[in-house]
Amino acid sequence: MNEVEQEYERRLSEMPIAEKFARSQAMFNAYREQLGREIAAAHPEYSLERLKWEVAARMYADEPATMKLVNRMLERVSD
């Protein structure tokens, strides 16, 4: 582990749990919003409801149980 990584780990270990949670939530939101922008740019015809479920499909593609629900919802929404 190099000097920068050590400093990062030190600061992370000193960070209060609430701040760690807030940072994680901010990163999750930023990722979700970026996916939404990418999908909307590629498919401007999608409704907001469809866009929401397409984002969910990308985010949870590796979770079979969640994808069952997402796919059911995608079948119900219009473009």
Side-chain angles (χ1 to χ4, degrees):
M1 189 180 297
N2 69 34
E3 190 176 312
V4 172
E5 290 170 327
Q6 287 175 342
E7 181 64 13
Y8 172 79
E9 289 296 326
R10 184 189 68 75
R11 288 183 185 195
L12 189 60
S13 69
E14 293 174 356
M15 190 180 296
I17 298 285
E19 187 176 350
K20 287 179 187 177
F21 181 80
R23 287 173 176 251
S24 294
Q25 186 66 44
M27 288 176 23
F28 177 86
N29 291 341
Y31 176 60
R32 184 184 63 219
E33 290 167 10
Q34 179 60 34
L35 283 176
R37 284 190 295 273
E38 289 174 11
I39 295 168
H43 299 281
E45 74 278 7
Y46 282 175
S47 66
L48 289 177
E49 184 73 7
R50 174 98 189 172
L51 181 60
K52 174 178 79 173
W53 290 109
E54 291 289 347
V55 168
R58 291 247 192 120
M59 292 184 75
Y60 300 106
D62 294 334
E63 297 181 27
T66 303
M67 284 306 299
K68 278 185 176 181
L69 171 64
V70 170
N71 287 327
R72 275 197 311 237
M73 297 308 293
L74 281 168
E75 290 171 4
R76 295 180 183 179
V77 298
S78 61
D79 287 346

